[in-house]
Amino acid sequence: MKEQHWIEAPEGWGQDDKQEEGTEDGRCLLDLFERTDPSESFSFDVKLNNGATKSILLSGFKLDSDETDRSTGVTIWDAAPRLVNYLQQNVSTVAQKSVLELGAGLGLVGIATWHLGAKYTVMTDADTHTLQKMRENVQRNCKADGNALECKQLIWGSPHMESFKNEYGTYDTILAADVIYTNSSIEPLFDTVACLLKPNGVFVLSRYNKWFGIEDAVVIESAKKKLLHCSPQPSEGILIFSWNHSIKNDKSIE
């Protein structure tokens, strides 16, 4: 699939409005030398199935940097390490499974998934800048053979999700961490999950930051509209969705 230039910011999604060279928001960029270095490295230890520990080192930007303000995925949000901790304790969720990560950001969850024994992992993000950092982090932390670990652009909703499905198929496990920024992002998220999740698959959503006061109940209700059932939370901030087959079968009969 051909990638397009796309920027995800807290205000919403869309094409990047390119500024005139040398300016930003009408201000001269001559103060670049006065800025502190916005880059930041993030280090995480992942306990592998054999008891060994794998250190993952990610390159990104500080949470309060202009880079993060423009592209939300170029830093680490709290929900990502929490999701990795859950996966370490529930390795069967990803081991020998086809795994898709939505809004993968710098790549912590997807890289950890690959090290935890996923059959193959596809990490996705819509944001152009984020994809660049993600691919750099994959090269730094993984020595994947063939197509065992890939980074792809995926913009949620139609027609992008159908094109993605036609090219890359469906998945046993879909993962996402802190990907709900606005109410308008919930429906395309679950549209995409419903399109790409296998009949017996699971969608694990890790939430820590609840932007604009979007509560879990709102998210769960949106999932129900796509016939996805939310299991009791195994730990705080972890939501696990699977197909409600009884309702799905009734709908198919109708």
Side-chain angles (χ1 to χ4, degrees):
M1 293 173 58
K2 184 178 180 180
E3 295 184 1
Q4 60 180 282
H5 194 79
W6 188 270
I7 296 299
E8 279 187 27
E11 295 79 10
W13 302 334
Q15 305 290 341
D16 187 21
D17 292 329
K18 294 189 177 294
Q19 304 286 343
E20 292 183 10
E21 187 176 357
T23 64
E24 183 181 9
D25 297 330
R27 295 171 298 176
C28 181
L29 295 182
L30 293 178
D31 64 342
L32 282 175
F33 295 105
E34 299 178 8
R35 295 176 54 196
T36 58
D37 184 2
S39 61
E40 186 170 2
S41 295
F42 306 88
S43 180
F44 300 90
D45 290 333
V46 178
K47 188 175 181 180
L48 306 183
N49 302 343
N50 60 7
T53 299
K54 172 65 180 179
S55 293
I56 297 175
L57 182 62
L58 305 176
S59 173
F61 294 97
K62 296 175 181 176
L63 186 61
D64 59 354
S65 68
D66 290 342
E67 286 76 10
T68 299
D69 189 49
R70 287 192 293 265
S71 295
T72 56
V74 295
T75 193
I76 292 291
W77 300 93
D78 292 319
R82 290 189 176 202
L83 181 51
V84 171
N85 288 336
Y86 171 80
L87 295 175
Q88 290 178 104
Q89 299 167 16
N90 300 270
V91 178
S92 61
T93 305
V94 296
Q96 296 304 308
K97 302 287 179 60
S98 57
V99 178
L100 172 70
E101 185 183 4
L102 302 176
L106 294 180
L108 173 61
V109 175
I111 291 171
T113 295
W114 183 77
H115 285 295
L116 289 171
K119 184 178 180 181
Y120 61 89
T121 300
V122 179
M123 301 158 59
T124 68
D125 210 290
D127 186 271
T128 304
H129 300 162
T130 302
L131 280 166
Q132 179 181 350
K133 299 301 294 184
M134 183 198 307
R135 286 166 174 150
E136 292 173 3
N137 287 325
V138 167
Q139 291 180 351
R140 178 180 294 111
N141 292 277
C142 305
K143 295 181 179 179
D145 296 325
N147 297 323
L149 180 60
E150 298 183 280
C151 303
K152 303 291 184 183
Q153 185 181 53
L154 174 57
I155 300 169
W156 300 346
S158 294
H160 313 287
M161 62 186 188
E162 290 90 355
S163 299
F164 191 91
K165 179 180 180 180
N166 290 338
E167 189 158 350
Y168 305 113
T170 55
Y171 297 84
D172 299 312
T173 301
I174 298 179
L175 306 172
D178 264 349
V179 295
I180 297 175
Y181 300 110
T182 63
N183 276 293
S184 62
S185 66
I186 302 175
E187 184 175 352
L189 168 63
F190 282 105
D191 283 343
T192 303
V193 170
C195 178
L196 299 174
L197 187 64
K198 287 186 176 181
N200 293 315
V202 295
F203 170 44
V204 185
L205 173 65
S206 178
R207 300 195 70 210
Y208 182 82
N209 296 292
K210 296 181 179 178
W211 282 275
F212 300 103
I214 302 172
E215 296 296 332
D216 289 343
V218 175
V219 177
I220 292 170
E221 188 61 32
S222 182
K224 286 182 180 178
K225 296 177 182 178
K226 299 298 175 182
L227 309 182
L228 290 164
H229 167 75
C230 184
S231 304
Q233 290 186 338
S235 59
E236 183 180 0
I238 299 294
L239 304 176
I240 302 179
F241 299 90
S242 57
W243 290 111
N244 190 331
H245 288 291
S246 60
I247 297 179
K248 194 175 183 183
N249 291 337
D250 290 343
K251 291 285 185 180
S252 63
I253 292 174
E254 295 175 4

